[in-house]
Amino acid sequence: MSTQSNVVSRTGSKIGIRTITQIGMLSAIATVFMLFEIPLPFAPSFYQIDFSEVPVLIGCFALGPVAGAIIEFVKILMNFVINGTITAGVGELANFLIGCALCVPAGMIYRYKRTRKSAIFGLVAGSICMTILGCFLNAFLLLPAYAKAFHMPIQALVDMGTAVNSNITSIFTFVVFAVAPFNLLKATLASLVVLLVYKKISPIFYRQ
């Protein structure tokens, strides 16, 4: 009986160490991806696309939604250490919540049924959650914090939006014409990449 318990203990330990290693690897990749940003023509310069959610989504699918949330947290923490903050941590908190809004629902749905159809449904649901929460947090938390950090009226941010899109005339239209398309595009691109690569790389996570 004790021999069997020792085997189970060693197996559990190996699984735990492997999972921690995989979380660390995906977090590091996500942090690197976060450093490469692409500006967008329809939004002010401080909104830039990156592909850091791809490793987070892969972690959610392979290791579960909790592991995905940890990867998201470590990614943002490491970026905070590397680049610092201009919003006293408010932007980092918002980015964590917005990232989790995409990855955690997708991971939960895929965990329930591991099929391509389920993955697509999860990614669509996560993209919608990310877009809605992103709009809410930007309007009521991130944009006011950004304006305060730079000691500027919030109208100045609206004017930056107007400069690239004449339809942006208020915080509401800023969210509709800049924030919502930004988050939807980011979620869609990350989802497409994951759908293309996940099945090819997933054996790495299940290899004994």
Side-chain angles (χ1 to χ4, degrees):
M1 187 71 175
S2 59
T3 302
Q4 184 178 2
S5 298
N6 289 337
V7 171
V8 171
S9 177
R10 286 197 299 271
T11 303
S13 177
K14 287 180 181 178
I15 292 173
I17 293 171
R18 187 171 70 244
T19 300
I20 292 171
T21 302
Q22 291 169 346
I23 287 174
M25 176 189 68
L26 289 169
S27 299
I29 295 171
T31 303
V32 172
F33 283 3
M34 203 173 182
L35 299 176
F36 297 94
E37 298 178 319
I38 304 169
L40 298 171
F42 59 80
S45 58
F46 51 87
Y47 285 104
Q48 298 189 9
I49 289 279
D50 65 66
F51 287 89
S52 62
E53 302 305 336
V54 171
V56 182
L57 280 168
I58 290 172
C60 277
F61 282 3
L63 307 173
V66 174
I70 294 172
I71 295 166
E72 185 75 43
F73 175 79
V74 174
K75 174 197 80 173
I76 290 173
L77 179 63
M78 292 175 70
N79 185 71
F80 176 85
V81 171
I82 294 169
N83 293 323
T85 180
I86 56 174
T87 60
V90 175
E92 285 70 28
L93 174 62
N95 287 337
F96 170 73
L97 295 174
I98 293 169
C100 285
L102 167 65
C103 301
V104 172
M108 290 176 66
I109 291 170
Y110 184 73
R111 190 178 183 86
Y112 175 74
K113 192 173 184 181
R114 294 178 178 272
T115 64
R116 184 176 178 81
K117 187 175 181 180
S118 180
I120 293 172
F121 179 72
L123 290 168
V124 170
S127 297
I128 293 171
C129 289
M130 180 182 186
T131 302
I132 293 172
L133 185 62
C135 289
F136 179 83
L137 288 177
N138 271 270
F140 296 105
L141 183 64
L142 189 53
L143 288 173
Y146 194 88
K148 186 176 181 180
F150 280 92
H151 306 289
M152 63 171 69
I154 200 161
Q155 183 60 41
L157 296 178
V158 175
D159 292 341
M160 292 173 68
T162 306
V164 296
N165 186 340
S166 60
N167 291 314
I168 298 175
T169 57
S170 64
I171 284 295
F172 175 76
T173 53
F174 190 107
V175 166
V176 170
F177 291 109
V179 177
F182 166 79
N183 282 310
L184 188 57
L185 178 61
K186 183 176 181 178
T188 300
L189 290 175
S191 298
L192 289 174
V193 173
V194 170
L195 285 174
L196 287 172
V197 305
Y198 181 70
K199 282 300 181 183
K200 296 177 182 178
I201 67 173
S202 59
I204 296 173
F205 296 94
Y206 305 117
R207 189 177 298 158
Q208 296 297 323

